Amino acid sequence: MKLMLLDEEVLRWARTRGHSPRAEQVVARFSRLGEHAGIWLAIGVAGQALDRAQKDRWRRMTRTIALTYGLNTAIKLAVRRRRPELAGLPPLTSTQTQLSFPSAHASTSFVAAQLFRRVGLPALPLYALASGLALSRVYLGVHYPSDVLAGALLGSAVAGSVALAH
């Protein structure tokens, strides 16, 4: 029970700090990059086209990101946790479903960051993008912090479990 209260308190803090109409608009647009793992799948497809020497690795990574999205969806359907509802603080973006656990933005972002790092993309920008996309969901009020943490752990676990050797 205390963890649930902490989760809601952190969410309420994120929903009431650093907000302005312009900031909310920018974060909502930025967050759309992570819808259905879009930005990560696009990077994977670009890698396949541009890095012919590692095309097969890029293809496997892109497939792993898509499979992580599917796994995340299956877990959401099994857990069935409802999205946050804070009195006086409606969500700042729409969502495909009313299910929140775990965050697909977080799971696909962290699996992608870890996998793309393996082919030589720089870690700092990858993890900055992954973290930003994941945290944007709390800022926008569509995920509890624990949803994002669970998604990041799921993505990290998937990345840690796959071998992408030549």
Side-chain angles (χ1 to χ4, degrees):
M1 185 68 168
K2 285 187 180 190
L3 286 178
M4 289 173 37
L5 291 174
L6 177 62
D7 213 16
E8 189 169 310
E9 282 184 43
V10 173
L11 173 62
R12 188 174 301 282
W13 182 88
R15 286 287 289 111
T16 58
R17 303 296 189 280
H19 284 263
S20 70
R22 180 71 179 137
E24 291 172 356
Q25 182 181 49
V26 167
V27 173
R29 283 188 179 152
F30 170 71
S31 188
R32 283 189 205 110
L33 294 172
E35 288 293 330
H36 310 290
I39 188 69
W40 302 111
L41 296 172
I43 292 170
V45 169
Q48 290 174 58
L50 299 173
D51 185 359
R52 305 303 275 168
Q54 297 190 84
K55 183 178 181 175
D56 289 339
R57 286 184 82 190
W58 281 101
R59 185 178 301 121
R60 287 190 298 274
M61 289 186 296
T62 305
R63 189 178 318 125
T64 299
I65 294 163
L67 290 171
T68 301
Y69 181 78
L71 175 60
N72 191 96
T73 300
I75 293 169
K76 268 187 177 160
L77 291 171
V79 173
R80 306 202 65 77
R81 182 181 195 186
R82 305 278 302 161
R83 291 201 184 267
E85 292 181 20
L86 297 177
L89 293 169
L92 300 174
T93 193
S94 60
T95 57
Q96 295 292 316
T97 74
Q98 288 302 309
L99 303 177
S100 71
F101 184 92
S103 165
H105 276 66
S107 65
T108 58
S109 291
F110 279 85
V111 74
Q114 287 186 44
L115 295 179
F116 292 159
R117 188 176 54 87
R118 293 182 193 175
V119 290
L121 295 186
L124 185 60
L126 287 170
Y127 284 104
L129 179 57
S131 298
L133 287 171
L135 293 173
S136 74
R137 308 306 281 169
V138 177
Y139 178 90
L140 295 170
V142 295
H143 278 294
Y144 290 101
S146 60
D147 299 337
V148 169
L149 178 60
L153 292 172
L154 173 63
S156 296
V158 170
S161 71
V162 296
L164 298 168
H166 290 5

